[in-house]
Amino acid sequence: MAAPLFSADFKNGAHAKPAPFLPTSREEMSALGWRQCDVIIVTGDAYVDHPSFGMAIIGRVLEAQGFKVGIIAQPDWHGTHDFQKLGAPRLFFGVTGGNMDSMVNRYTSDRRVRSDDAYTPGGNGGKRPDRSVIVYSQRIREAYKHTPIIIGGIEASLRRIAHFDYWSENVRRSVLVDAKADLLVYGNAERQIGEIARRLDAGEPLAAIDDLRGTAYLRRGMPAEWTEIDSSGLDSPGPLNPPVDPYASEETRRQAAPPAAAATSAGSVVKFHRKVPNAQRARSVIRLPSYEQVAADPVLYAHASRILHLESNPGNARALVQRHGSQELWLNPPPIPLSTADMDGVYELPYARRPHPSYGEAKIPAFHMIRFSVAIQRGCFGGCTFCSITEHEGRIIQSRSEDSVIREIETIRDKVPGFTGVISDLGGPTANMYRLHCKSKAIESACRRPSCVYPGVCPNLNTDHTPLIDLYRRARALKGVKKVLIASGVRYDLAIESPEYVKELATHHTGGYLKIAPEAIGEGPLSKMMKPGVGSYYRFKELFDKYSKEAGKEQYLIPYFIAAHPGTRDADMLELALWLKKNGFRADQVQAFLPSPMATATAMYHSGKNPLKRITRSSEEVVVPKGIKVRRLHKAFLRYHDPNNWPILREALKRMGRADLIGNGKQHLVPAYQPLNSSTRVGLKGAAAPALRFRTQHTGLPTTKRHRP
């Protein structure tokens, strides 16, 4: 059991008056009476002092523990000047790419540069570099050669081991290696970052801080008296390297040969086992295939991905080690989830709840979206393979107390400019996982399932929505609150376990439209996504429509779908297009699957294997829609009504033997003719038209409401 987050009595003034904003300039430091910061956080986002922004949470948590924290937001990375404007910190620089992975932030799923950035004043793009964590760390090292650098946030968290990088179509090294940082913090970082600061403040060298959960570091050799579990190869034999060219020169052969394993450090005792008694788990480490191996062999990459996800439960996860050249990348087990008291403490710190005054009247779109919303929980046990929330926040739900949420709503009501009485969201990664948990702590600690709800809802999962219903009722009864909306996505296979919750949602908390995410309707893609069958959707829709009608409201579901996900064939997308037409849906915008770092579906995309099952050379093959042509076709099926897509769809339908779907009748998918001006967008007609417009999306990473440090 981890110690409470705010329990320690810190020597350097933990109860000092908090800063109105964490300083971003020397002038602000002087106004606070500071000569030097203890910690400086460098971030790729604009500085918004709000608990939906990671830099604000980490900064305020450190401040509450008595440390002087400065912020360098969106520095000019072309030189070192901006990185020097606060001077060198006494303890360390903390580096984060921001609330999104910088590559996802800057590029679409088609690898096109985005023109906007929701985390920048004015929404302007181009204010952060590609691979921000690496670039920022390099500039800091140029400016301050010996100052410790600790990297964290979503970008570092999802790139903590050798990972497939969609934008370069290569397996890249751990970001810790490329950034040349001293330590990597992964997952929600409040526990780790506070402990690191305290130990450095006490004079402990950073190199000695190698025992913290939720951290990764580089070392040479293996520590003494550890049991090493060798999982660097597959159980089934198979070629690991390409055949040797008999005509190659000796030098060429030498360069192509895999690196030899480095010897263990002198005096150490390393035991190699496949199975280790439970009593020895705390001192056992699993050896993953090396960076060089997974970079050369996609099947080994899929195997490493499977091992990493199996070792993700804080209750039973073991340390992992992966060789990068001559160094060992060591990953300690995931952090212990925050308790309700810790969550309350984090979210009730003295945030200014607005952007830094230096931005003037400039609008920061991400802040504008969440300024009247409240995060009530973290984590997700859905296990969707395309999503990276679990890899960052974990599967165990961490919930705030009802009183804490109510206090934050009152703060918004009383102090946030522009509040009109509408709370835009009470949510998190998923709207309706608040207070849901395993019925048994013992089972939870031992469980290695990647999902609590696939292929069906686990019988050990408590699905009681009563605490969430009570929270909704209390929130909307507050004086000055006119409406409480739910904007986070609803997990409908959980919601149907509680019809009373669906009634509450439809009657009081839906503003005409409700987001849900079937993602697909075919069993092929659904099995690779770990999403429920369409039957759950129909059951939820039946309940939602029933209670909406009883409330006298005309309300609609907004289903999200993913194009070109691993496991999706052209026939699956055709089936989906016909389903959309039958149900009267017309997608306004669509996006293809984006292989985000470390996600299970990304391993499928890269390897063509299914890491949800044991990986062998002959294990299940996964069909992967790769290439611009097939990805465009799958997106076109989602927008079957757009004349610009009709030529590619006609061609595909003929190739698939479904030319019977081409024609001008209601039973046809696309017309046989092409309008003269195909660039003209087809409008929506009829009184029910607004219900037919929805946006399908997939980022693979948390959206604005889901961001955590």
Side-chain angles (χ1 to χ4, degrees):
M1 191 70 179
L5 194 60
F6 299 104
S7 64
D9 182 20
F10 306 105
K11 68 175 185 180
N12 41 342
H15 303 291
K17 183 179 179 181
F21 283 88
L22 302 175
T24 63
S25 66
R26 286 282 194 175
E27 292 74 19
E28 292 173 67
M29 288 173 60
S30 297
L32 294 169
W34 299 3
R35 290 187 177 181
Q36 185 181 30
C37 292
D38 296 321
V39 176
I40 295 175
I41 298 173
V42 180
T43 175
D45 293 340
Y47 173 31
V48 179
D49 197 44
H50 186 281
S52 284
F53 288 75
M55 96 290 284
I57 286 186
I58 293 302
R60 290 298 186 181
V61 165
L62 287 170
E63 180 190 55
Q65 297 178 352
F67 297 102
K68 300 181 179 73
V69 184
I71 301 284
I72 299 177
Q74 297 190 316
D76 180 355
W77 68 91
H78 297 96
T80 62
H81 179 267
D82 279 4
F83 298 88
Q84 295 173 294
K85 64 182 181 179
L86 299 183
R90 184 173 64 90
L91 299 178
F92 63 86
F93 277 102
V95 177
T96 171
N99 275 6
M100 291 178 69
D101 180 276
S102 60
M103 300 301 288
V104 176
N105 179 283
R106 290 201 11 91
Y107 296 92
T108 70
S109 61
D110 293 330
R111 299 188 179 99
R112 294 176 181 170
V113 178
R114 300 184 193 273
S115 59
D116 59 346
D117 183 341
Y119 295 90
T120 298
N124 300 316
K127 293 294 184 180
R128 74 183 79 217
D130 290 357
R131 314 188 196 286
S132 296
V133 168
I134 296 173
V135 175
Y136 291 161
S137 298
Q138 290 172 342
R139 294 296 173 268
I140 292 169
R141 192 65 79 202
E142 291 173 20
Y144 301 104
K145 187 174 182 180
H146 301 294
T147 303
I149 299 173
I150 298 172
I151 59 176
I154 192 81
E155 183 168 335
S157 191
L158 299 186
R159 296 174 180 269
R160 59 187 181 260
I161 65 168
H163 56 280
F164 177 75
D165 181 77
Y166 172 64
W167 297 270
S168 62
E169 280 286 338
N170 285 312
V171 175
R172 291 181 62 94
R173 300 184 297 183
S174 165
V175 68
L176 180 62
V177 177
D178 287 341
K180 296 180 172 59
D182 297 286
L183 193 64
L184 183 152
V185 173
Y186 73 87
N188 296 133
E190 292 94 347
R191 290 197 190 283
Q192 305 97 295
I193 208 71
E195 181 70 12
I196 292 166
R198 289 194 294 275
R199 289 168 68 169
L200 290 177
D201 185 53
E204 189 172 344
L206 187 58
I209 303 177
D210 60 3
D211 57 346
L212 283 182
R213 283 176 166 267
T215 61
Y217 59 94
L218 294 168
R219 70 190 320 159
R220 293 187 183 274
M222 293 290 296
E225 299 301 334
W226 275 71
T227 299
E228 182 174 309
I229 305 167
D230 186 11
S231 193
S232 60
L234 302 175
D235 289 337
S236 298
L240 297 182
N241 301 299
V244 176
D245 181 358
Y247 302 103
S249 66
E250 191 62 29
E251 178 63 22
T252 303
R253 291 188 194 182
R254 225 177 3 252
Q255 291 175 356
T264 57
S265 58
S268 65
V269 178
V270 180
K271 295 169 283 185
F272 292 87
H273 296 280
R274 273 294 187 186
K275 295 183 179 180
V276 176
N278 286 337
Q280 298 180 25
R281 291 179 69 88
R283 300 288 290 176
S284 64
V285 59
I286 298 177
R287 176 165 293 283
L288 299 174
S290 70
Y291 158 70
E292 289 78 10
Q293 287 178 294
V294 298
D297 188 340
V299 178
L300 278 178
Y301 181 91
H303 169 70
S305 174
R306 175 171 170 79
I307 296 300
L308 179 115
H309 286 85
L310 285 173
E311 298 297 328
S312 62
N313 182 344
N316 60 32
R318 290 161 290 193
L320 304 174
V321 64
Q322 183 179 56
R323 186 181 300 282
H324 282 59
S326 62
Q327 295 179 297
E328 302 280 12
L329 173 71
W330 188 283
L331 278 77
N332 286 323
I336 299 296
L338 296 183
S339 67
T340 295
D342 288 338
M343 287 282 287
D344 290 353
V346 166
Y347 283 91
E348 293 190 72
L349 291 169
Y351 304 98
R353 307 191 73 85
R354 61 184 187 274
H356 190 273
S358 63
Y359 302 125
E361 298 300 316
K363 178 182 175 182
I364 300 175
F367 167 69
H368 189 77
M369 184 184 297
I370 54 82
R371 58 184 174 154
F372 303 133
S373 65
V374 180
I376 64 175
Q377 53 93 187
R378 291 180 182 173
C380 181
F381 49 69
C384 300
T385 63
F386 52 79
C387 183
S388 298
I389 293 171
T390 299
E391 282 74 28
H392 185 56
E393 296 190 1
R395 291 184 175 84
I396 297 175
I397 303 302
Q398 303 159 75
S399 301
R400 297 171 62 183
S401 70
E402 185 179 298
D403 287 346
S404 176
V405 173
I406 295 301
R407 285 193 293 268
E408 183 169 349
I409 295 174
E410 291 173 335
T411 298
I412 293 172
R413 178 196 64 191
D414 299 338
K415 297 182 179 180
V416 177
F419 181 64
T420 61
V422 178
I423 295 297
S424 59
D425 190 25
L426 291 183
T430 302
N432 58 319
M433 287 187 181
Y434 180 74
R435 296 284 185 91
L436 301 190
H437 53 80
C438 189
K439 296 175 182 177
S440 165
K441 282 293 182 184
I443 293 175
E444 180 183 77
S445 295
C447 184
R448 293 165 70 83
R449 287 182 57 175
S451 171
C452 298
V453 289
Y454 183 84
V457 177
C458 177
N460 295 311
L461 180 66
N462 167 33
T463 59
D464 182 11
H465 284 57
T466 301
L468 187 55
I469 294 170
D470 292 343
L471 175 60
Y472 286 178
R473 290 172 177 170
R474 187 174 170 189
R476 68 173 185 263
L478 281 174
K479 182 180 179 181
V481 174
K482 300 175 184 177
K483 187 85 173 175
V484 177
L485 298 173
I486 304 304
S488 299
V490 172
R491 185 86 191 199
Y492 56 84
D493 51 344
L494 281 174
I496 60 177
E497 298 284 321
S498 175
E500 182 67 19
Y501 172 75
V502 182
K503 181 178 182 180
E504 193 78 11
L505 195 64
T507 305
H508 300 287
H509 300 284
T510 302
Y513 307 97
L514 182 70
K515 296 186 298 185
I516 57 172
E519 312 293 10
I521 63 169
E523 182 55 32
L526 287 173
S527 67
K528 303 304 180 289
M529 297 174 178
M530 288 209 302
K531 292 287 289 187
V534 73
S536 296
Y537 166 82
Y538 288 134
R539 174 60 179 151
F540 179 80
K541 185 178 186 304
E542 179 186 347
L543 290 171
F544 183 79
D545 290 347
K546 172 188 173 183
Y547 294 129
S548 293
K549 185 177 181 180
E550 288 180 2
K553 295 182 175 183
E554 186 177 2
Q555 299 183 144
Y556 305 95
L557 298 178
I558 305 175
Y560 284 18
F561 295 95
I562 299 175
H565 189 278
T568 307
R569 300 178 184 273
D570 295 353
D572 295 312
M573 294 307 299
L574 172 58
E575 180 187 14
L576 178 54
L578 293 172
W579 184 90
L580 290 171
K581 182 172 183 179
K582 178 182 177 181
N583 288 278
F585 288 116
R586 289 186 174 185
D588 188 40
Q589 300 178 48
V590 301
Q591 188 168 346
F593 166 69
L594 194 161
S596 57
M598 229 170 75
T600 297
T602 301
M604 296 180 191
Y605 175 92
H606 176 54
S607 68
K609 292 289 186 178
N610 183 6
L612 298 175
K613 301 177 181 178
R614 178 183 166 198
I615 297 293
T616 66
R617 296 285 167 187
S618 59
S619 61
E620 180 188 358
E621 299 285 343
V622 177
V623 60
V624 179
K626 282 189 179 182
I628 292 176
K629 187 173 181 179
V630 67
R631 288 169 70 85
R632 284 179 179 169
L633 173 61
H634 284 202
K635 290 170 70 175
F637 273 121
L638 286 177
R639 283 183 53 79
Y640 64 90
H641 56 281
D642 185 343
N644 292 304
N645 291 328
W646 292 348
I648 188 176
L649 289 176
R650 288 193 202 100
E651 179 186 341
L653 289 171
K654 292 174 183 176
R655 174 175 49 79
M656 297 166 69
R658 294 306 310 270
D660 59 299
L661 294 174
I662 303 172
N664 304 325
K666 291 184 178 180
Q667 74 275 20
H668 298 118
L669 183 65
V670 296
Y673 67 90
Q674 191 68 23
L676 292 177
N677 184 8
S678 295
S679 63
T680 301
R681 183 179 169 191
V682 176
L684 296 166
K685 300 178 182 179
L692 308 183
R693 299 181 66 230
F694 66 95
R695 180 175 186 269
T696 64
Q697 69 169 19
H698 171 63
T699 64
L701 292 171
T703 52
T704 303
K705 277 305 299 158
R706 300 174 177 174
H707 294 149
R708 303 294 177 264

